[in-house]
Amino acid sequence: MKTLYRQFTIATLFILAISILIGFTIANIFYITVTKEETIEQNVGVAQEIVATVQNVPYSEESFDRYMQAVAKLGYQIALVDNAGDMKFYGEPFDDTAFPEEAQRVLTENGTYTGLDSFKDQIFMIGHFTNELHNTVGVPFERDGENYGLFIRPDTKLLGTDIHSVLIGFVVAIGLVSIIGMIWLARQLTRPIVQLTEATKHIARENYNYPLDIKRKDEIGQLSESFNLMQTQLQQNDLARKSFISNVSHDFQSPLMNIQGYADLLKSPDLPDADRLAYTSIIDQEAKRLSSLTRQLLLLTSLDQGAYPMKSKEFKLDEQLKAVVRKYRWRLEEEDINLSYSLAPTLFRGDAELLDNVWDNLLTNAIKYNKPGGSIEIALKTIGPDVIVTFKDTGTGIAAEALPQLFDRFYRGDAARKKDGTGLGLSIVEQIVQLHHGTIKVNSKIGEGSEFILTLPHPDVKQT
């Protein structure tokens, strides 16, 4: 597998090599177009000054040699060639002393020889540094009635030793620092990615407690923070899933065991009729409880889907609330509970079937947790673009510490357990309200009752 670290390192080295190649090319182009001609002119000028000095000052043979040696010590390599082709050298020796044909015209035609112009087989400016006789400039001069050719070139070993060493060291240092820096940067970038990869493997094995300690202030740091949030959310979802399965199993098991137990008792031939009727009634109640639980689970599953198909239409919200009240009138009379309502005629657009579940759950809860002789108040009004629906009862109330978990699935207080609730009703209510982009708020005190306030935004709400 090609790791990101390896790819980054290879890419860095490749870019560095391309940069060196481009830099070398640009330097050679500059040398060929600018530096080369200037160097040739400078060397020809030096050669001509030497020749002028030699011709104007009558040197003896010994003095002439000392003078040429002195010039060579200033950083030049010099070759003297006479008409016979004999050569005499001053300064550092040449690696190649072959006399080029083009240089002959210095002696035969009194011309000027520029060796750099004749380098055709060298790559770019490499020829400038070759220590060969043909890499010189040559000028003619006359001494003691004889024609000579003075061929000269700068001694790169002397002239360039210090500066070239510094430059080469500088370039090498830059290269090494760049490579080491890139490798370090690659490790810094890939280390958190490796940690994230390892954390992902642990999450795939349902281990949501893997420590991921990446503290950075860049995009990788943001990714790490998002990953930690995702890990926390997955852990909570996993706990909720396990709790959901446990609660569903318990809520299904309890009525099923009751049904099975009483069904076994009904098999007895000596069972009195009164007991038989009582057991049959219990089985019927438990079956209805199972049916209600199944129906609510199916509705909750449907609401959990990301794109629940809302069946929005215009309907009279006040009439819907009145219909729910009529449906439970018998229970209100049976529990001796007084119900009053103040419902402003309102034409609302929403999912009537879902909202019917909301009113049904809130009203049955108000009846279930009320007390004999208690009361329930239902109000419907419009404030600006919002529809406000209120259910207020004088029941047992809800403890303050229980309010944050009130809308959690299967959450039931002690009073709710005694009333055989499923713990899903208020969770369904909240999700339906949120589907309508609304909010639900609860005010409650122990012993005084509870008030549920629903706010449903509807800019097109109409008073009828």
Side-chain angles (χ1 to χ4, degrees), residues 219-358:
E219 290 80 357
I220 293 179
Q222 293 176 356
L223 177 62
S224 174
E225 291 179 5
S226 300
F227 191 93
N228 284 327
L229 290 174
M230 180 193 72
Q231 186 173 234
T232 302
Q233 187 62 49
L234 286 173
Q235 185 177 19
Q236 293 176 353
N237 291 347
D238 184 60
L239 291 174
R241 176 179 62 85
K242 292 176 180 177
S243 176
F244 181 82
I245 293 173
S246 175
N247 287 325
V248 169
S249 300
H250 176 270
D251 281 7
F252 270 98
Q253 186 180 17
S254 179
L256 284 173
M257 288 182 65
N258 287 338
I259 291 172
Q260 184 179 5
Y262 285 106
D264 288 341
L265 291 174
L266 286 174
K267 294 178 182 178
S268 174
D270 301 327
L271 189 66
D273 290 341
D275 289 343
R276 191 180 302 276
L277 288 173
Y279 298 163
T280 304
S281 176
I282 291 173
I283 290 174
D284 180 64
Q285 290 175 6
E286 294 299 315
K288 289 179 179 177
R289 180 180 167 190
L290 277 175
S291 176
S292 173
L293 178 59
T294 304
R295 185 176 63 256
Q296 289 188 329
L297 282 173
L298 288 174
L299 178 58
L300 201 56
T301 302
S302 299
L303 293 174
D304 280 339
Q305 295 176 1
Y308 181 83
M310 291 273 289
K311 302 173 184 176
S312 296
K313 64 177 182 180
E314 280 193 349
F315 63 96
K316 293 182 178 180
L317 187 56
D318 55 302
E319 293 296 333
Q320 186 184 52
L321 287 166
K322 290 176 183 178
V324 174
V325 171
R326 286 194 296 270
K327 184 166 61 173
Y328 289 98
R329 179 64 69 182
W330 64 276
R331 283 196 62 183
L332 292 166
E333 294 176 357
E334 186 178 78
E335 301 288 342
D336 191 23
I337 297 173
N338 180 46
L339 185 144
S340 61
Y341 54 73
S342 173
L343 308 175
T346 305
L347 191 61
F348 185 79
R349 185 172 187 83
D351 193 315
E353 184 178 346
L354 289 181
L355 287 173
D356 191 65
N357 279 280
V358 172

Side-chain angles (χ1 to χ4, degrees), residues 403-419:
L403 290 177
Q405 294 87 34
L406 193 62
F407 296 99
D408 292 349
R409 297 176 185 183
F410 293 103
Y411 177 79
R412 291 177 290 187
D414 293 336
R417 293 184 187 278
K418 295 176 183 178
K419 298 291 184 177

